[in-house]
Amino acid sequence: MKNKTRISCIIVDDEPSSQRVLKYFIDETTVLDLKATCSNTAEAFKFLQLNSTIDLLFLDINMPKQTGLDFYKSLKNPPEVIFTTAYSQYAVDGFEVNAIDYLLKPIAYERFLMAINKVIKKKMTTDNDFLILKENKVLHKVFYTDIQYIEAFGDYVKVHTREKTIVTHSTFSKFMSSLPDNFLRIHKSFCINLNKMNRLSGNQITIDTHTIPIGQTYKDSVLKVLNLHHEN
């Protein structure tokens, strides 16, 4: 996302009533700068081809001809996205493409603001944010954005990135206290980077080729963060 004061955004939704609600919310939120409203994905694609500096999409999932999810997957360098839809079953699909958030219609303004706060927090977390980890006598520079998940390992923690796993001396709770807000504890021994999450299925979360268990005592809080509800 570009480093600037306001967040440029567009609405992509085929329902005029939903467009009106989002326009009103955006107008009430000074950090947002609405650049266009599109009624279908074809209009949005044309606009994005001519305007490469858009920071954020408010994208409806259930639209005719092409779903918002398929459209977003087709973009080569997509902006951040907040999905909007009336159908809760699409929520997990939205997180497969690392969506900032998922808003279920009808959208309350308070819930809308929570999503925008997530955008702001992510915008403030740049690729220059890193930590130094000591493994044996070697110091490793690791960007927060590269961490997939963290695993408790006795008096140590395992920090998993796509390229390697670093074992460093620290208690799990102490290490977690140094992490940004996009890290979520899902088990007594596991903490994940939400931005790396690919899929949630049952009591497991998939990140890349790794399957990580969700502890029973953490499940409700995990589902709440992901804006889902427990239907057991």
Side-chain angles (χ1 to χ4, degrees):
M1 191 177 291
K2 308 298 182 295
N3 184 19
K4 53 190 176 183
T5 304
R6 301 187 73 194
I7 298 168
S8 62
C9 59
I10 68 171
I11 296 168
V12 188
D13 198 311
D14 62 316
E15 299 176 358
S17 58
S18 297
Q19 291 178 4
R20 286 194 294 271
V21 170
L22 286 171
K23 283 180 182 177
Y24 176 75
F25 286 173
I26 291 168
D27 286 344
E28 292 293 304
T29 311
T30 55
V31 73
L32 298 177
D33 182 16
L34 181 62
K35 296 296 187 181
T37 300
C38 305
S39 297
N40 54 62
T41 58
E43 287 181 20
F45 181 77
K46 290 178 183 177
F47 183 85
L48 291 174
Q49 289 291 96
L50 298 173
N51 299 270
S52 60
T53 59
I54 297 301
D55 295 319
L56 176 66
L57 304 180
F58 290 97
L59 182 57
D60 186 23
I61 291 181
N62 192 33
M63 289 188 290
K65 295 186 180 179
Q66 184 182 35
T67 69
L69 189 64
D70 287 341
F71 167 68
Y72 191 74
K73 287 179 178 179
S74 74
L75 298 176
K76 289 185 178 180
N77 294 297
E80 303 292 355
V81 64
I82 294 174
F83 284 113
T84 63
T85 184
Y87 303 95
S88 60
Q89 65 265 30
Y90 289 121
V92 173
D93 294 331
F95 282 100
E96 286 184 13
V97 294
N98 293 326
I100 291 284
D101 209 341
Y102 168 93
L103 298 178
L104 188 63
K105 300 175 183 178
I107 303 166
Y109 185 57
E110 291 77 11
R111 183 66 185 82
F112 176 86
L113 286 180
M114 287 174 62
I116 301 307
N117 282 331
K118 291 181 182 181
V119 178
I120 294 169
K121 285 181 180 180
K122 187 168 183 181
K123 186 177 181 180
M124 293 172 65
T125 303
T126 70
D127 287 346
N128 291 324
D129 290 338
F130 62 89
L131 67 166
I132 301 296
L133 300 178
K134 184 178 181 181
E135 184 180 38
N136 297 322
K137 296 181 180 181
V138 179
L139 296 179
H140 298 267
K141 179 180 178 180
V142 180
F143 291 102
Y144 290 117
T145 51
D146 288 336
I147 298 173
Q148 294 182 322
Y149 66 100
I150 297 116
E151 178 182 359
F153 188 59
D155 293 330
Y156 295 80
V157 293
K158 292 182 178 180
V159 180
H160 297 268
T161 71
R162 188 163 191 167
E163 293 77 22
K164 59 190 173 184
T165 298
I166 299 168
V167 181
T168 190
H169 187 269
S170 175
T171 63
F172 191 55
S173 58
K174 181 179 178 182
F175 192 87
M176 279 195 57
S177 67
S178 68
L179 297 173
D181 290 342
N182 54 295
F183 284 84
L184 175 68
R185 189 170 190 172
I186 65 168
H187 187 279
K188 66 178 181 179
S189 300
F190 292 96
C191 171
I192 67 165
N193 182 346
L194 286 168
N195 296 332
K196 300 294 185 181
M197 173 182 160
N198 299 120
R199 185 170 65 252
L200 182 152
S201 179
N203 292 321
Q204 296 178 328
I205 283 176
T206 301
I207 296 178
D208 202 9
T209 59
H210 306 283
T211 300
I212 303 151
I214 301 173
Q216 194 59 40
T217 57
Y218 293 88
K219 187 163 186 177
D220 285 340
S221 61
V222 170
L223 295 178
K224 184 177 180 181
V225 169
L226 298 180
N227 196 29
L228 301 173
H229 56 280
H230 199 168
E231 294 181 342
N232 288 348

